[in-house]
Amino acid sequence: MRSAIVAATAFFSLAVAGQPVLAAEAPYVDDRSTAEAVVRSLYSAIGRQEFARAWGYFGDTKPAKDFDTFVKGYDGTDKVEVQTGAVSEDGAAGSIYYNVPVAIRATDKDGKETVFAGCYTLRQVNASIQEPPFTPIFIDKGALKPATADFEEAVPESCGDGPPPPKKDSALEQAKKVFAATYADQCDKETPEGKPVGEPETYTLLYKDANAAADEPEREMRLFRFFCSMAAYNESAVYYIFDDVSGVRQLQFASPELDIRYENNNSEGKVESINIIGFQTDDQLVNSGYDDATKTISSMNKWRGVGDASSAGTYLFRNGNFSLVQYDVDASYDGEINPQTVLDYNTPP
């Protein structure tokens, strides 16, 4: 019995529900409406060093032999991240028991990370049959063991009779992490629709390599389009692709460097010539989108709001990558939309 209490103590000293919690930034949460909410409330209390409140979320079986031991159990913990799986519930003798699969990554004050995985159980006594004092949902028991899997893969498939959690889209999660690491401080915080930035449009592309044999199966590539920023009349986006060989990588888009000559050197006047003098790459595309029917990403950068001057590129998916195949430029600020093609690999020689 003592070993079970010690295991539960290790578990409860680390667990948190739903998202990373930093001790110095934990919000005040006191919610017993669901099993997950109770655990979230527990670690709100711990993060705020309100240990008496934290102690109160447990039932008769406490997480340590006494309150002082419970408090000392958090001396070395700096931060904790958690992932939970599908919750199951069982009814028995006037109570409902909730079984929650969990994986935890704990970081101590020296920066060492440890992953644990296991299950914990919360109990809800039928409110209609209780007498004062009322007992809300409480933490009943739990056990964690060190996990050999990475944190992202360590959540048990189920606890009790619960259903397995839905499979995670690992490619999507990787792309979101890379985008956040690179552009979190550069891009807007919300899309024009008011949604948080960081949830991309996703596409699946099937193809064969140019030298693939006729009987070889098709390969699969994922495309992710992340909104980045919105200005007065231009919207920028960042793109990533994923395949089973290279993993996630950001798309860089070729664009020609232009030498534009105007009559009398007046940029508001007649265009005399447009010449390509080199190429560069862009990590973002303006006013862009992917068309699955043509397997192309197109962009159109307005040089001013009315759109009478602009540049536009077309990038074709072939052989597992996107290539610039057409570039159009409307360099005249004349109030009319009249672009000319300065690069064309769509038309055969």
Side-chain angles (χ1 to χ4, degrees), residues 281-348:
T281 59
D282 298 321
D283 66 336
Q284 300 180 35
L285 285 185
V286 177
N287 300 328
S288 66
Y290 173 69
D291 184 346
D292 194 48
T294 60
K295 298 293 188 290
T296 57
I297 297 173
S298 59
S299 68
M300 203 279 281
N301 186 357
K302 295 180 181 180
W303 295 2
R304 66 178 181 180
V306 295
D308 62 337
S310 64
S311 55
T314 302
Y315 301 84
L316 175 66
F317 180 75
R318 57 187 176 192
N319 299 324
N321 213 333
F322 284 88
S323 301
L324 175 64
V325 294
Q326 185 170 329
Y327 203 82
D328 301 320
V329 178
D330 186 347
S332 58
Y333 295 85
D334 55 4
E336 298 181 3
I337 298 176
N338 47 7
Q340 64 182 88
T341 300
V342 298
L343 181 149
D344 184 4
Y345 293 116
N346 282 315
T347 305

Coordinates of all heavy atoms in Angstrom, one line a residue, residues 281-348:
T281 N 14.9 34.7 -53.8 CA 13.9 33.8 -53.2 C 13.1 34.6 -52.1 O 13.7 35.5 -51.4 CB 14.5 32.6 -52.5 OG1 15.4 32.9 -51.5 CG2 15.1 31.7 -53.6
D282 N 11.9 34.3 -51.9 CA 11.0 34.9 -50.9 C 10.5 33.8 -50.0 O 10.1 32.7 -50.5 CB 9.8 35.6 -51.6 CG 10.3 36.7 -52.5 OD1 11.2 37.4 -52.1 OD2 9.7 36.9 -53.6
D283 N 10.4 34.1 -48.7 CA 9.9 33.1 -47.8 C 8.4 33.2 -47.5 O 7.8 32.4 -46.9 CB 10.7 33.2 -46.4 CG 10.4 34.5 -45.7 OD1 10.1 35.5 -46.4 OD2 10.6 34.5 -44.5
Q284 N 7.8 34.3 -48.1 CA 6.4 34.5 -48.0 C 5.8 34.9 -49.4 O 6.5 35.5 -50.2 CB 6.1 35.6 -47.0 CG 6.6 35.3 -45.6 CD 6.2 36.5 -44.6 OE1 5.2 37.1 -44.7 NE2 7.1 36.7 -43.7
L285 N 4.6 34.5 -49.6 CA 3.9 34.9 -50.8 C 2.7 35.9 -50.4 O 2.1 35.7 -49.4 CB 3.4 33.7 -51.6 CG 4.4 32.9 -52.3 CD1 3.6 31.8 -53.1 CD2 5.2 33.7 -53.3
V286 N 2.5 36.8 -51.4 CA 1.4 37.8 -51.1 C 0.2 37.4 -51.9 O 0.2 37.1 -53.1 CB 2.0 39.2 -51.5 CG1 0.9 40.2 -51.4 CG2 3.2 39.5 -50.7
N287 N -1.0 37.6 -51.2 CA -2.3 37.3 -51.9 C -2.2 36.0 -52.6 O -2.5 35.9 -53.8 CB -2.7 38.4 -52.8 CG -2.8 39.7 -52.1 OD1 -3.2 39.8 -50.9 ND2 -2.5 40.8 -52.7
S288 N -1.9 34.9 -51.9 CA -1.6 33.6 -52.6 C -2.6 32.6 -52.2 O -3.3 32.7 -51.2 CB -0.2 33.2 -52.2 OG -0.1 32.9 -50.8
G289 N -2.6 31.5 -52.9 CA -3.5 30.4 -52.6 C -3.1 29.2 -53.5 O -2.4 29.3 -54.5
Y290 N -3.5 28.0 -53.0 CA -3.2 26.8 -53.7 C -4.4 26.3 -54.4 O -5.5 26.2 -53.8 CB -2.7 25.7 -52.7 CG -2.5 24.3 -53.4 CD1 -1.5 24.1 -54.3 CD2 -3.4 23.3 -53.1 CE1 -1.4 22.8 -54.9 CE2 -3.3 22.0 -53.6 CZ -2.3 21.8 -54.6 OH -2.1 20.6 -55.2
D291 N -4.3 25.9 -55.7 CA -5.3 25.3 -56.5 C -5.0 23.8 -56.7 O -4.1 23.5 -57.5 CB -5.4 26.1 -57.8 CG -6.6 25.6 -58.7 OD1 -7.2 24.5 -58.4 OD2 -7.0 26.3 -59.6
D292 N -5.8 23.0 -56.1 CA -5.6 21.5 -56.2 C -5.8 21.0 -57.6 O -5.2 20.0 -58.1 CB -6.4 20.8 -55.2 CG -6.0 19.3 -55.0 OD1 -4.7 19.1 -54.9 OD2 -6.8 18.4 -55.1
A293 N -6.7 21.7 -58.4 CA -7.1 21.2 -59.7 C -5.9 21.4 -60.7 O -5.6 20.5 -61.5 CB -8.3 22.0 -60.3
T294 N -5.1 22.4 -60.5 CA -4.0 22.7 -61.4 C -2.7 22.4 -60.7 O -1.6 22.5 -61.4 CB -4.0 24.2 -61.9 OG1 -3.9 25.0 -60.7 CG2 -5.3 24.5 -62.6
K295 N -2.7 22.1 -59.4 CA -1.5 21.8 -58.6 C -0.5 23.0 -58.7 O 0.7 22.9 -58.8 CB -0.8 20.5 -59.1 CG -1.6 19.3 -59.0 CD -1.8 18.9 -57.6 CE -2.5 17.5 -57.4 NZ -3.9 17.5 -57.9
T296 N -1.1 24.2 -58.5 CA -0.3 25.4 -58.5 C -0.6 26.3 -57.3 O -1.7 26.3 -56.8 CB -0.6 26.2 -59.8 OG1 -2.0 26.6 -59.8 CG2 -0.2 25.5 -61.0
I297 N 0.5 27.0 -56.9 CA 0.3 28.1 -55.9 C 0.5 29.4 -56.7 O 1.5 29.5 -57.5 CB 1.4 28.0 -54.8 CG1 1.2 26.7 -54.0 CG2 1.3 29.2 -53.9 CD1 2.4 26.5 -53.0
S298 N -0.4 30.3 -56.6 CA -0.4 31.5 -57.3 C -0.3 32.7 -56.3 O -0.8 32.6 -55.2 CB -1.6 31.7 -58.3 OG -2.8 31.7 -57.5
S299 N 0.4 33.8 -56.7 CA 0.5 34.9 -55.9 C 0.2 36.2 -56.7 O 0.4 36.2 -58.0 CB 1.8 35.0 -55.2 OG 2.8 35.3 -56.2
M300 N -0.2 37.3 -56.1 CA -0.4 38.5 -56.8 C -0.2 39.7 -55.8 O -1.0 39.9 -55.0 CB -1.9 38.6 -57.4 CG -2.0 39.6 -58.6 SD -2.2 41.3 -58.1 CE -3.9 41.3 -57.7
N301 N 0.9 40.3 -56.0 CA 1.4 41.4 -55.1 C 0.9 42.7 -55.7 O 1.5 43.2 -56.7 CB 2.9 41.3 -55.0 CG 3.4 42.3 -53.9 OD1 2.6 43.1 -53.4 ND2 4.7 42.3 -53.7
K302 N 0.0 43.4 -55.1 CA -0.5 44.7 -55.5 C 0.5 45.7 -55.1 O 0.9 45.8 -54.0 CB -1.8 45.0 -54.9 CG -3.0 44.1 -55.4 CD -4.3 44.6 -54.7 CE -5.4 43.7 -55.1 NZ -6.7 44.1 -54.5
W303 N 0.9 46.5 -56.1 CA 1.9 47.6 -55.8 C 1.2 48.8 -55.2 O 1.8 49.7 -54.6 CB 2.7 48.0 -57.0 CG 3.6 46.9 -57.5 CD1 3.7 45.6 -57.0 CD2 4.4 46.9 -58.7 NE1 4.6 44.9 -57.7 CE2 5.0 45.6 -58.8 CE3 4.8 47.9 -59.6 CZ2 6.0 45.3 -59.8 CZ3 5.7 47.5 -60.6 CH2 6.3 46.3 -60.7
R304 N -0.1 48.9 -55.5 CA -0.9 49.9 -54.8 C -2.4 49.4 -54.7 O -2.7 48.4 -55.4 CB -0.8 51.3 -55.4 CG -1.4 51.4 -56.8 CD -1.3 52.9 -57.3 NE -1.8 53.1 -58.6 CZ -1.8 54.3 -59.2 NH1 -1.3 55.3 -58.6 NH2 -2.4 54.4 -60.4
G305 N -3.2 50.0 -53.9 CA -4.5 49.5 -53.6 C -5.4 49.2 -54.8 O -6.1 48.2 -54.7
V306 N -5.4 50.0 -55.8 CA -6.3 49.8 -56.9 C -5.9 48.6 -57.7 O -6.7 48.2 -58.6 CB -6.4 51.1 -57.8 CG1 -7.0 52.2 -57.0 CG2 -5.1 51.5 -58.3
G307 N -4.7 48.1 -57.6 CA -4.3 46.9 -58.3 C -3.9 47.1 -59.7 O -3.8 46.1 -60.5
D308 N -3.7 48.4 -60.2 CA -3.4 48.6 -61.6 C -1.9 48.4 -61.8 O -1.5 48.3 -63.0 CB -3.8 50.0 -62.0 CG -3.1 51.1 -61.2 OD1 -2.6 50.8 -60.1 OD2 -3.0 52.2 -61.7
A309 N -1.1 48.2 -60.8 CA 0.3 47.8 -60.9 C 0.6 46.7 -59.9 O 0.1 46.7 -58.8 CB 1.2 49.0 -60.5
S310 N 1.2 45.7 -60.4 CA 1.4 44.4 -59.6 C 2.4 43.5 -60.2 O 2.9 43.7 -61.3 CB 0.0 43.7 -59.5 OG -0.4 43.3 -60.8
S311 N 2.7 42.5 -59.5 CA 3.5 41.3 -60.0 C 2.8 40.1 -59.5 O 2.3 40.0 -58.4 CB 4.9 41.4 -59.5 OG 5.0 41.5 -58.1
A312 N 2.9 39.0 -60.3 CA 2.2 37.8 -60.0 C 3.0 36.6 -60.5 O 3.6 36.6 -61.6 CB 0.8 37.7 -60.7
G313 N 3.1 35.6 -59.6 CA 3.8 34.4 -59.9 C 2.9 33.1 -59.9 O 1.9 33.1 -59.1
T314 N 3.3 32.1 -60.6 CA 2.6 30.8 -60.6 C 3.7 29.8 -60.4 O 4.7 29.7 -61.1 CB 1.9 30.6 -62.0 OG1 1.0 31.6 -62.2 CG2 1.2 29.2 -61.9
Y315 N 3.4 28.9 -59.4 CA 4.4 27.9 -59.0 C 3.7 26.5 -59.2 O 2.7 26.3 -58.5 CB 4.8 28.1 -57.6 CG 5.5 29.5 -57.4 CD1 4.7 30.6 -57.1 CD2 6.9 29.6 -57.5 CE1 5.3 31.9 -57.0 CE2 7.5 30.9 -57.3 CZ 6.7 32.0 -57.1 OH 7.2 33.2 -56.9
L316 N 4.3 25.7 -60.0 CA 3.7 24.4 -60.4 C 4.3 23.3 -59.6 O 5.5 23.2 -59.4 CB 3.8 24.2 -61.9 CG 3.4 22.8 -62.4 CD1 1.9 22.6 -62.3 CD2 3.8 22.6 -63.8
F317 N 3.5 22.4 -59.0 CA 4.0 21.2 -58.3 C 4.3 20.1 -59.3 O 3.5 19.7 -60.1 CB 2.9 20.7 -57.3 CG 3.4 19.5 -56.5 CD1 4.3 19.7 -55.5 CD2 2.9 18.3 -56.8 CE1 4.7 18.6 -54.8 CE2 3.3 17.1 -56.1 CZ 4.2 17.3 -55.1
R318 N 5.6 19.7 -59.3 CA 6.0 18.6 -60.1 C 7.2 18.0 -59.5 O 8.1 18.7 -58.9 CB 6.3 19.1 -61.6 CG 7.3 20.2 -61.7 CD 7.4 20.7 -63.1 NE 8.3 21.8 -63.3 CZ 8.4 22.5 -64.3 NH1 7.5 22.3 -65.4 NH2 9.2 23.5 -64.4
N319 N 7.3 16.7 -59.6 CA 8.5 15.9 -59.1 C 8.7 16.2 -57.6 O 9.9 16.3 -57.1 CB 9.7 16.2 -59.9 CG 9.5 15.8 -61.3 OD1 8.9 14.8 -61.6 ND2 10.1 16.6 -62.2
G320 N 7.7 16.5 -56.8 CA 7.8 16.6 -55.4 C 8.2 18.0 -54.9 O 8.6 18.2 -53.8
N321 N 8.1 19.0 -55.8 CA 8.5 20.4 -55.4 C 7.7 21.4 -56.2 O 7.0 21.0 -57.2 CB 10.0 20.6 -55.5 CG 10.5 21.6 -54.4 OD1 9.7 22.4 -53.9 ND2 11.7 21.5 -54.1
F322 N 7.7 22.6 -55.8 CA 7.1 23.7 -56.6 C 8.1 24.5 -57.3 O 9.1 25.0 -56.8 CB 6.3 24.6 -55.6 CG 5.0 24.0 -55.1 CD1 5.0 23.2 -54.0 CD2 3.8 24.2 -55.8 CE1 3.8 22.7 -53.5 CE2 2.6 23.6 -55.4 CZ 2.6 22.9 -54.2
S323 N 7.8 24.7 -58.6 CA 8.7 25.5 -59.5 C 8.0 26.7 -60.1 O 6.8 26.6 -60.4 CB 9.2 24.6 -60.7 OG 9.9 23.4 -60.2
L324 N 8.7 27.8 -60.2 CA 8.2 29.0 -60.8 C 8.1 28.7 -62.3 O 9.1 28.5 -63.0 CB 9.1 30.2 -60.6 CG 8.8 31.5 -61.3 CD1 7.4 32.0 -60.7 CD2 9.9 32.5 -61.0
V325 N 6.9 28.8 -62.8 CA 6.7 28.6 -64.3 C 6.1 29.8 -65.0 O 6.1 29.8 -66.2 CB 5.7 27.4 -64.5 CG1 6.3 26.1 -64.0 CG2 4.4 27.6 -63.8
Q326 N 5.6 30.8 -64.3 CA 5.2 32.0 -65.0 C 5.2 33.2 -64.0 O 5.0 33.1 -62.8 CB 3.7 31.8 -65.4 CG 3.2 33.0 -66.3 CD 1.9 32.7 -66.9 OE1 1.6 31.5 -67.3 NE2 1.1 33.7 -67.1
Y327 N 5.6 34.3 -64.6 CA 5.7 35.5 -63.8 C 5.2 36.7 -64.7 O 5.7 36.9 -65.8 CB 7.1 35.8 -63.4 CG 7.2 36.7 -62.1 CD1 7.0 36.2 -60.9 CD2 7.4 38.1 -62.2 CE1 7.1 36.9 -59.7 CE2 7.5 38.9 -61.1 CZ 7.3 38.3 -59.8 OH 7.4 39.1 -58.7
D328 N 4.2 37.4 -64.2 CA 3.6 38.5 -64.9 C 3.8 39.8 -64.1 O 3.7 39.8 -62.9 CB 2.1 38.2 -65.1 CG 1.8 37.0 -65.8 OD1 2.5 36.7 -66.8 OD2 0.8 36.2 -65.4
V329 N 4.0 40.9 -64.9 CA 4.2 42.2 -64.2 C 3.4 43.2 -64.9 O 3.3 43.3 -66.2 CB 5.7 42.6 -64.3 CG1 5.9 43.9 -63.7 CG2 6.6 41.5 -63.6
D330 N 2.7 44.0 -64.1 CA 2.0 45.2 -64.6 C 2.7 46.4 -63.9 O 2.4 46.7 -62.8 CB 0.5 45.1 -64.2 CG -0.3 46.3 -64.8 OD1 0.3 47.2 -65.3 OD2 -1.5 46.2 -64.7
A331 N 3.6 47.0 -64.7 CA 4.4 48.0 -64.1 C 3.9 49.4 -64.3 O 4.5 50.4 -63.9 CB 5.9 47.9 -64.7
S332 N 2.8 49.6 -65.0 CA 2.3 50.9 -65.4 C 1.2 51.3 -64.4 O 0.2 50.6 -64.2 CB 1.7 50.9 -66.8 OG 0.7 49.9 -66.9
Y333 N 1.4 52.5 -63.8 CA 0.4 53.0 -62.9 C -0.6 53.8 -63.7 O -0.7 55.1 -63.5 CB 1.1 53.9 -61.8 CG 2.0 53.1 -60.9 CD1 3.3 52.8 -61.3 CD2 1.6 52.6 -59.7 CE1 4.2 52.1 -60.5 CE2 2.5 51.9 -58.8 CZ 3.8 51.7 -59.2 OH 4.6 51.0 -58.4
D334 N -1.4 53.1 -64.5 CA -2.3 53.9 -65.5 C -3.7 53.7 -65.2 O -4.6 54.0 -66.0 CB -1.9 53.4 -66.9 CG -2.1 51.9 -67.1 OD1 -2.5 51.2 -66.1 OD2 -1.7 51.4 -68.1
G335 N -4.1 53.1 -64.1 CA -5.5 52.9 -63.7 C -6.1 51.7 -64.4 O -7.3 51.4 -64.2
E336 N -5.3 50.9 -65.2 CA -5.8 49.7 -65.9 C -5.0 48.5 -65.5 O -3.8 48.6 -65.2 CB -5.7 49.9 -67.4 CG -6.5 51.1 -68.0 CD -6.4 51.2 -69.5 OE1 -5.7 50.4 -70.1 OE2 -7.0 52.2 -70.0
I337 N -5.7 47.4 -65.6 CA -5.0 46.1 -65.3 C -4.5 45.5 -66.6 O -5.3 44.9 -67.4 CB -5.9 45.1 -64.5 CG1 -6.3 45.8 -63.2 CG2 -5.3 43.8 -64.3 CD1 -7.3 45.0 -62.4
N338 N -3.3 45.6 -66.9 CA -2.7 45.1 -68.2 C -1.3 44.6 -68.0 O -0.3 45.1 -68.5 CB -2.7 46.3 -69.2 CG -2.1 47.6 -68.6 OD1 -1.6 47.6 -67.5 ND2 -2.2 48.6 -69.4
P339 N -1.2 43.4 -67.3 CA 0.1 42.8 -67.1 C 0.7 42.2 -68.3 O 0.0 41.9 -69.3 CB -0.2 41.7 -66.0 CG -1.6 41.3 -66.3 CD -2.3 42.6 -66.8
Q340 N 2.0 42.1 -68.3 CA 2.7 41.3 -69.4 C 3.5 40.2 -68.8 O 4.0 40.3 -67.7 CB 3.6 42.3 -70.2 CG 4.7 42.9 -69.5 CD 5.5 43.9 -70.3 OE1 5.2 45.1 -70.4 NE2 6.5 43.3 -71.0
T341 N 3.6 39.1 -69.5 CA 4.3 38.0 -69.0 C 5.8 38.2 -69.3 O 6.2 38.4 -70.4 CB 3.8 36.7 -69.7 OG1 2.4 36.5 -69.4 CG2 4.6 35.5 -69.2
V342 N 6.6 38.1 -68.2 CA 8.1 38.3 -68.4 C 8.8 37.0 -68.3 O 10.0 36.9 -68.6 CB 8.6 39.3 -67.4 CG1 8.0 40.7 -67.6 CG2 8.4 38.8 -66.0
L343 N 8.1 35.9 -67.8 CA 8.7 34.6 -67.7 C 7.6 33.6 -67.9 O 6.6 33.7 -67.3 CB 9.4 34.4 -66.3 CG 10.0 33.1 -66.0 CD1 11.2 33.3 -65.0 CD2 9.1 32.1 -65.4
D344 N 7.9 32.6 -68.8 CA 6.9 31.7 -69.2 C 7.5 30.3 -69.5 O 8.1 30.1 -70.5 CB 6.1 32.2 -70.4 CG 4.9 31.2 -70.7 OD1 4.7 30.3 -70.0 OD2 4.2 31.5 -71.7
Y345 N 7.3 29.4 -68.6 CA 7.7 28.0 -68.8 C 6.5 27.1 -69.0 O 6.6 25.9 -68.9 CB 8.6 27.5 -67.7 CG 10.0 28.2 -67.6 CD1 10.3 29.0 -66.5 CD2 10.9 28.1 -68.7 CE1 11.5 29.6 -66.5 CE2 12.1 28.7 -68.6 CZ 12.4 29.5 -67.5 OH 13.6 30.2 -67.5
N346 N 5.4 27.7 -69.1 CA 4.1 26.9 -69.4 C 4.0 26.6 -70.9 O 3.4 25.7 -71.3 CB 2.9 27.7 -69.0 CG 2.6 27.6 -67.5 OD1 2.7 26.6 -66.9 ND2 2.4 28.8 -66.9
T347 N 4.6 27.5 -71.7 CA 4.5 27.4 -73.2 C 5.8 26.7 -73.7 O 6.9 27.1 -73.5 CB 4.4 28.8 -73.8 OG1 3.3 29.4 -73.3 CG2 4.2 28.6 -75.3
P348 N 5.6 25.6 -74.5 CA 6.8 24.9 -75.0 C 7.5 25.7 -76.0 O 6.9 26.6 -76.7 CB 6.2 23.6 -75.6 CG 4.8 24.0 -75.9 CD 4.4 24.9 -74.9

